[in-house]
Amino acid sequence: DGGITQSPKYLFRKEGQNVTLSCEQNLNHDAMYWYRQDPGQGLRLIYYSQIVNDFQKGDIAEGYSVSREKKESFPLTVTSAQKNPTAFYLCASSRKGSSTDTQYFGPGTRLTVL
Amino acid sequence: QKEVEQNSGPLSVPEGAIASLNCTYSDRGSQSFFWYRQYSGKSPELIMSIYSNGDKEDGRFTAQLNKASQYVSLLIRDSQPSDSATYLCAVGGSNYKLTFGKGTLLTVNP
């Protein structure tokens, strides 16, 4: 089945730790995205990538980093510089990077800071 | 700042009724409009997309777009308890981005 997988489902981070969230897609989509969702809030864009080896900051990139070495993979690192990382993290992909393309979401990773 | 506004709800309707969900947006250059459904603790799933003024129907769902009024809505006919979820409106502008509203919580009462 084609789709987007994210791992882990739940992640706990101690203060000062960097953690990496995995996102893999087998839809042959060019574009991939990372969003953050806080309770009662809409989705906010962290980073996006329209092509391998290229990515751009979204609205709330501070304290996060990404890489896009393969078309299928777009991992997100939450660094210790991110002061309030507890949130639901969603990875999405679309066929191209146009805003008219439908974005499909993975199941999400729920990150909690201890 | 491009904004997408939705009533947060909760919107409560009886089973079998029509649920009407509304969304307004600020960017007149917006070209694409999406409705996603999100169950509690789950990720958003696409219900419908609409790009042109007018109505688009898919089963029990109808999306309505009025670009002049910068307004998009989603009607759910014959609402079922399984429709109880948060509905997210997303708007695509002249660039790559989708801007999401905060969502409307719908509760369908048996």
Side-chain angles (χ1 to χ4, degrees):
Chain A
D1 289 336
I4 304 172
T5 58
Q6 291 185 243
S7 62
K9 185 175 182 179
Y10 298 98
L11 185 57
F12 299 92
R13 193 193 91 168
K14 295 181 180 179
E15 294 285 347
Q17 272 186 337
N18 293 351
V19 292
T20 297
L21 284 58
S22 170
C23 178
E24 304 276 335
Q25 56 97 1
N26 61 4
L27 299 169
N28 199 32
H29 285 174
D30 287 338
M32 298 186 73
Y33 311 81
W34 274 105
Y35 291 91
R36 168 181 173 144
Q37 187 176 38
D38 295 281
Q41 301 296 314
L43 277 64
R44 293 185 290 169
L45 184 64
I46 304 172
Y47 268 98
Y48 76 103
S49 169
Q50 293 176 293
I51 196 170
V52 173
N53 292 322
D54 188 43
F55 49 83
Q56 285 78 42
K57 293 181 179 180
D59 299 321
I60 55 165
E62 184 176 352
Y64 300 98
S65 66
V66 294
S67 63
R68 186 87 186 276
E69 297 177 0
K70 298 187 300 181
K71 186 176 183 178
E72 300 80 15
S73 178
F74 192 40
L76 173 74
T77 296
V78 184
T79 75
S80 57
Q82 171 48 238
K83 297 305 179 187
N84 185 21
T86 295
F88 189 39
Y89 289 87
L90 290 158
C91 178
S93 71
S94 66
R95 189 174 59 87
K96 300 293 182 184
S98 167
S99 63
T100 58
D101 287 336
T102 299
Q103 292 187 19
Y104 298 93
F105 288 86
T109 292
R110 196 166 297 278
L111 174 62
T112 302
V113 174
L114 301 176
Chain B
Q1 181 78 4
K2 299 174 183 176
E3 295 182 345
V4 176
E5 300 287 341
Q6 297 180 252
N7 289 328
S8 61
L11 173 65
S12 183
V13 301
E15 184 175 353
I18 296 175
S20 178
L21 304 161
N22 305 316
C23 174
T24 59
Y25 58 94
S26 62
D27 181 11
R28 284 196 169 274
S30 298
Q31 302 174 359
S32 53
F33 307 85
F34 303 87
W35 283 100
Y36 287 86
R37 177 176 63 199
Q38 186 175 25
Y39 292 113
S40 180
K42 303 296 185 183
S43 62
E45 54 180 332
L46 180 74
I47 297 175
M48 294 192 67
S49 59
I50 186 167
Y51 303 95
S52 304
N53 279 330
D55 295 358
K56 179 181 179 182
E57 186 175 319
D58 183 0
R60 296 186 296 111
F61 300 96
T62 299
Q64 299 174 318
L65 176 61
N66 184 326
K67 289 185 178 180
S69 300
Q70 296 175 245
Y71 175 91
V72 58
S73 64
L74 180 70
L75 301 178
I76 306 175
R77 291 182 300 281
D78 188 24
S79 295
Q80 301 297 310
S82 59
D83 294 326
S84 298
T86 296
Y87 289 80
L88 302 174
C89 172
V91 177
S94 54
N95 54 21
Y96 61 91
K97 287 178 57 175
L98 288 186
T99 301
F100 286 81
K102 294 182 179 180
T104 298
L105 177 62
L106 172 66
T107 301
V108 180
N109 300 306

